[in-house]
Amino acid sequence: MPIELHSKILRGVSDLQRVATGELVLVRGARGEGVRAMQRGLLALGYALLGGADGVFGRSSESGLRSFRELHLRFAAAVLDAATLALLDASLVRAEAVASYTLVNPRFAADPQLVRLLQGRAPLPRRGDAVTRVQKALLDLLFSLPRFGADGSLGDESREALRQFQCWQRIRPGGEATPLTLMALDQLAPAPEQRITRYPEYDRLIRDGWLTVTVAIGYDEDSNDLRELSEFRTGLVGDGFTRSGSTAEDAVHTYSRALMIPGHTGGMRVRLVSRHTADPEERYADGLVQDSVCLYAGHARYGTGPDFDPIESTAENFVIGVGAPQHLSGELEPGYDPHMNQILRGVPNDLITRRFDPERYQLWAFVGCTTRHYLDELRTLVAGKRSDNLDLIVSTRPLYWSDSGYYPLAIIRGLLRGQSINAITAAMCAQAVATEKSLGIEKTGDAFFGDGFGDDAPAWTPT
């Protein structure tokens, strides 16, 4: 059935009516009013076109249309067919609705700067209360601001969170607070002082009836890892996991049990890697590549990555925070300890030497001291992985070895039962606070947070 065009820019254009019926497809080299209307639509949605709406489907129009299609997960040739036209029309109808929209969320409604932004009369200020309101909304939608939080300053971190929100809502992801972005935030953000609940995408984590997990316990020079390894094994058995496969000390040890997720059948299989495992860094890397969930607990080595042997050795490091071209160019900051960076000088960065499956949704957790330092690398260097197919759990501050067996167990117990990421990280944060209090330490803020979970909900689709 032919689509009906409703947007002011596209309706009534004869060439587009032919596209809507499937009679015509606009491709590079095409000319005319249909191309001009398509260009006007892309421009209205924020896509820059060299030459503007000149009616010529050239390289710039092809690039803009390709970006629009890819935002909507259409990765074939950049052509305007009936399906793409329908998406363009629906996107324009939504954008046109901004003109008559009034802010209703108490987070935003009383802020005159945000009212002016919605009306297109002023941009979001670089700093101030209006920025804080937007940042808090992003945080409560689980779009993370790992370094600075809601600090009232519109920096790169806030722009990245906006970009992730825009990708989820199929708004051109420029990272700026556009009127359309503000309207979407107003509609989706929960009430003030409330946080949305998000779940790992269990339907995607479970493959062929199995939720597969790798747990790796790193090396500690004082052998705390051996105690935590024993406690982790005891915890698994206590939770009903049974061991199978090789019992050799240097093997990857495997445990499994049935899932407890309502509405799901199948099992969870846990592969355990430790200092005893033959080639532990390689076996950990196997988990990052092939399993749905991969958890590391141990030293973070000052922002450089997991490690399975003594600190002065480079044989068993999984390198994250140094060794990439982006570290040399200054695009990424290297690990924060010069001596550790010197130890790993010349060692390749493992995130760029491994190949990851872009079609697979995964969850990775890094339970070590202040592993938020890994985030820039994890979001920049892992080819094919984005916030919509890779969710992360990282820490915000130093942790203690006495909890290194508990944290992966807490994640496994939560996933086994289908818990929300909110519940999983809350349990981890509570344990961190309890340990700190026992040591006479008081800290503010959450010890752990999830990154990437904001888009673990249905994206915007045309109605």
Side-chain angles (χ1 to χ4, degrees):
M1 182 176 177
I3 63 171
E4 184 177 350
L5 300 177
H6 298 283
S7 65
K8 297 175 182 177
I9 291 176
L10 303 183
R11 68 188 181 204
V13 180
S14 59
D15 282 348
L16 296 185
Q17 294 297 333
R18 295 175 63 201
V19 172
T21 63
E23 180 184 349
L24 176 67
V25 174
L26 296 181
V27 301
R28 184 173 172 179
R31 295 170 177 262
E33 290 305 309
V35 173
R36 193 185 311 278
M38 176 196 76
Q39 293 170 325
R40 289 178 59 209
L42 291 171
L43 288 166
L45 294 175
Y47 294 89
L49 302 180
L50 187 64
D54 59 2
V56 179
F57 196 149
R59 179 179 300 175
S60 181
S61 295
E62 183 180 49
S63 176
L65 185 60
R66 177 178 292 109
S67 296
F68 173 80
R69 285 170 55 95
E70 289 178 354
L71 180 65
H72 292 270
L73 307 181
R74 298 177 62 82
F75 297 102
V79 300
L80 188 70
D81 54 13
T84 306
L85 178 61
L87 288 172
L88 183 61
D89 184 63
S91 298
L92 287 167
V93 169
R94 178 171 62 154
E96 290 165 358
V98 173
S100 58
Y101 187 78
T102 300
L103 296 174
V104 295
N105 194 310
R107 293 174 178 268
F108 306 127
D111 191 299
Q113 290 180 315
L114 294 178
V115 171
R116 287 195 295 272
L117 190 160
L118 182 73
Q119 295 169 346
R121 294 165 51 201
L124 184 66
R126 293 182 59 84
R127 57 186 56 85
D129 185 60
V131 176
T132 303
R133 290 173 183 270
V134 170
Q135 291 171 325
K136 286 183 176 180
L138 290 167
L139 286 169
D140 289 338
L141 285 165
L142 298 198
F143 291 91
S144 67
L145 300 168
R147 290 191 177 186
F148 305 112
D151 64 351
S153 179
L154 186 62
D156 291 342
E157 182 173 87
S158 295
R159 293 187 183 93
E160 175 58 22
L162 280 167
R163 189 195 67 79
Q164 291 185 15
F165 174 81
Q166 289 166 332
C167 283
W168 174 50
Q169 283 300 297
R170 305 296 186 249
I171 299 168
R172 185 189 64 83
E176 66 273 21
T178 63
L180 177 57
T181 303
L182 180 58
M183 183 179 79
L185 275 172
D186 188 71
Q187 294 169 337
L188 295 168
E193 308 305 324
Q194 295 185 21
R195 180 157 290 189
I196 206 79
T197 298
R198 290 280 188 261
Y199 291 80
E201 297 185 53
Y202 288 103
D203 287 343
R204 298 172 70 191
L205 285 178
I206 301 168
R207 294 166 63 104
D208 300 321
W210 286 98
L211 201 169
T212 57
V213 182
T214 288
V215 175
I217 307 292
Y219 180 95
D220 177 58
E221 282 71 16
D222 295 326
S223 297
N224 288 304
D225 59 308
L226 299 181
R227 179 194 67 239
E228 296 304 303
L229 179 64
S230 176
E231 290 190 9
F232 178 77
R233 285 179 171 141
T234 300
L236 278 184
V237 173
D239 285 343
F241 284 84
T242 57
R243 186 168 168 177
S244 60
S246 176
T247 58
E249 185 178 49
D250 66 351
V252 175
H253 295 157
T254 303
Y255 299 79
S256 59
R257 63 149 296 157
L259 289 171
M260 302 170 66
I261 304 174
H264 289 80
T265 58
M268 176 182 284
R269 183 166 57 239
V270 177
R271 300 167 63 254
L272 181 57
V273 176
S274 71
R275 67 155 76 180
H276 300 309
T277 308
D279 298 320
E281 183 260 348
E282 287 295 326
R283 302 293 75 79
Y284 169 66
D286 290 344
L288 288 172
V289 171
Q290 71 188 26
D291 283 336
S292 292
V293 179
C294 193
L295 316 177
Y296 170 77
H299 286 300
R301 297 305 192 205
Y302 307 101
T304 63
D307 192 9
F308 299 94
D309 66 356
I311 191 169
E312 298 292 333
S313 168
T314 64
E316 299 297 341
N317 294 73
F318 186 90
V319 179
I320 292 175
V322 292
Q326 292 88 337
H327 293 117
L328 297 176
S329 69
E331 180 183 345
L332 292 174
E333 294 182 12
Y336 54 90
D337 181 73
H339 179 65
M340 193 71 226
N341 296 349
Q342 183 62 33
I343 291 172
L344 293 172
R345 185 176 182 180
V347 180
N349 186 289
D350 283 286
L351 295 178
I352 60 177
T353 60
R354 312 283 173 174
R355 297 185 64 181
F356 300 95
D357 185 356
E359 301 301 319
R360 183 164 197 168
Y361 166 70
Q362 294 176 288
L363 191 163
W364 297 348
F366 297 88
V367 180
C369 292
T370 323
T371 53
R372 66 166 177 77
H373 285 290
Y374 297 165
L375 269 183
D376 288 345
E377 284 82 1
L378 292 168
R379 290 302 184 199
T380 302
L381 301 179
V382 186
K385 290 296 185 182
R386 307 166 304 276
S387 63
D388 62 348
N389 64 8
L390 177 61
D391 289 339
L392 302 166
I393 299 173
V394 294
S395 67
T396 65
R397 58 191 189 230
L399 304 176
Y400 297 90
W401 264 105
S402 59
D403 294 327
S404 294
Y406 171 83
Y407 291 131
L409 276 172
I411 297 172
I412 285 173
R413 288 165 178 161
L415 296 175
L416 186 68
R417 293 164 174 79
Q419 289 182 353
S420 68
I421 188 59
N422 309 63
I424 292 170
T425 54
M428 298 171 71
C429 290
Q431 181 65 27
V433 169
T435 298
E436 290 163 354
K437 285 185 176 179
S438 73
L439 298 171
I441 299 169
E442 290 190 17
K443 294 190 176 181
T444 59
D446 291 338
F448 295 93
F449 68 91
D451 183 81
F453 292 92
D455 58 16
D456 288 5
W460 177 83
T461 54
T463 56

